[in-house]
Amino acid sequence: MKKIKLIVLTILSLVSLQSCVEDDAENNSNGPHIVGFRNAQGSYIYTDNDVDPVQIAEPINLLGGSNGTPSEEDIVIPFTIDPSSTAIAGTDYTVNITGNTISLPAGADFIQLPFTVNPAVLPGNVPKTIVVSLGQPLSSNAVIADNKRTITITIAKCESDLAGMYSLTVTRQDNGAVFNFPNEVITQLSLGEYVTSTTGPYFDLTDDGAPRNGFIFKDVCQSIVIDEQYLGDFYTNLVEGDANAGAVTLDPVTGEVVSITMNYSIRGFSAAPNRRYFTAVYTKL
């Protein structure tokens, strides 16, 4: 395990120095300005105690192009609420912008798309979604990044209690390698938001300066959401949940947590496969 750790950390260090991640490469590219949502998904969890309207916002970023320099003119971006959304506009939420365009100001590298959420009307334990899509900018000097064109925002009223000690088995999908962590700790950061103790096979990223070994995830009414994030909040490798990032299994009698299954990938490695997929099963102790 020690040899594996040293090899992996060497690879990761090289990746960090060489900026092999796609997003980093985009920032140094020429051509029109590239804009898009910072995240592909966002989740906001509430309880019965949340009765007042809540302000949230999702950033639209200048991702690259033109050697990473900001635009000298406003970039006007149209947006639409996709019909697949299950949240009801005007009832569950409101978009706090008049019209259907938002402008990234000249010289800026991001702009917030603001919403008001009304938790009081949300049904218990039934997540609702707001799917927002960006259209081609009306400015001639900008384009939308295809993989950052759409965001799915989940709003939900549900309880969550996943903090504690687990026995963890992680399987790397491309080669079947299995990693066992008998004393994995999940720590609560805020309502429905947690951090693990490890990521894939990596349990000691902090030895090389990373602020954490694990990754942050959210429990949305027993469905798992893993937003895109840097490995250990340190390396340029990106950790991200699959479309089906996993679920929580509860005891049908007691309602207590039995296990958690998570599906995620780590990408940006210099050696193939550049993107590695993992399935992690946490069994509550």
Side-chain angles (χ1 to χ4, degrees), residues 224-282:
I224 299 300
V225 176
I226 305 172
D227 294 333
E228 182 182 273
Q229 58 198 276
Y230 289 114
L231 176 64
D233 197 26
F234 181 76
Y235 297 100
T236 57
N237 301 75
L238 292 174
V239 179
E240 183 178 19
D242 292 355
N244 176 17
V248 180
T249 300
L250 302 177
D251 186 294
V253 177
T254 66
E256 295 182 352
V257 177
V258 174
S259 64
I260 310 169
T261 300
M262 300 194 203
N263 305 298
Y264 60 89
S265 63
I266 306 174
R267 73 178 189 268
F269 293 97
S270 57
N274 296 46
R275 187 168 190 155
R276 301 170 188 180
Y277 292 86
F278 299 87
T279 296
V281 179
Y282 300 75

Side-chain angles (χ1 to χ4, degrees), residues 4 6 29 33 73 108 137-138 146 169 180 194 200 220 245 262 285:
I4 292 174
L6 291 174
S29 64
H33 295 285
E73 61 182 79
L138 304 181
D146 285 340
T169 299
N180 293 299
Y194 302 87
V220 184
M262 300 194 203
L285 297 178

Side-chain angles (χ1 to χ4, degrees), residues 146-177:
D146 285 340
N147 63 337
K148 300 292 185 180
R149 183 180 298 274
T150 301
I151 186 171
T152 299
I153 303 168
T154 301
I155 53 177
K157 183 189 293 182
C158 47
E159 301 295 333
S160 180
D161 184 20
L162 303 186
M165 185 80 72
Y166 293 79
S167 174
L168 169 62
T169 299
V170 180
T171 304
R172 180 172 154 180
Q173 295 302 320
D174 64 292
N175 63 9

Side-chain angles (χ1 to χ4, degrees), residues 26-157:
E26 286 181 344
N27 285 338
N28 293 318
S29 64
N30 294 312
H33 295 285
I34 303 170
V35 295
F37 283 111
R38 179 180 300 173
N39 305 305
Q41 54 191 355
S43 302
Y44 299 89
I45 312 302
Y46 308 99
T47 70
D48 289 334
N49 295 325
D50 297 307
V51 295
D52 296 324
V54 179
Q55 307 299 313
I56 65 171
E58 290 294 341
I60 299 171
N61 281 12
L62 176 64
L63 301 172
S66 297
N67 292 315
T69 59
S71 174
E72 295 181 356
E73 61 182 79
D74 292 354
I75 298 176
V76 181
I77 308 167
F79 67 89
T80 57
I81 304 299
D82 194 273
S84 64
S85 303
T86 57
I88 302 172
T91 301
D92 300 323
Y93 74 96
T94 303
V95 183
N96 298 335
I97 285 183
T98 301
N100 61 350
T101 62
I102 185 171
S103 294
L104 178 67
D109 56 10
F110 77 97
I111 185 68
Q112 299 274 20
L113 181 59
F115 300 82
T116 297
V117 176
N118 187 7
V121 302
L122 296 177
N125 219 42
V126 180
K128 291 193 172 187
T129 58
I130 310 166
V131 183
V132 188
S133 298
L134 301 179
Q136 175 59 34
L138 304 181
S139 314
S140 60
N141 66 336
V143 296
I144 297 293
D146 285 340
N147 63 337
K148 300 292 185 180
R149 183 180 298 274
T150 301
I151 186 171
T152 299
I153 303 168
T154 301
I155 53 177
K157 183 189 293 182

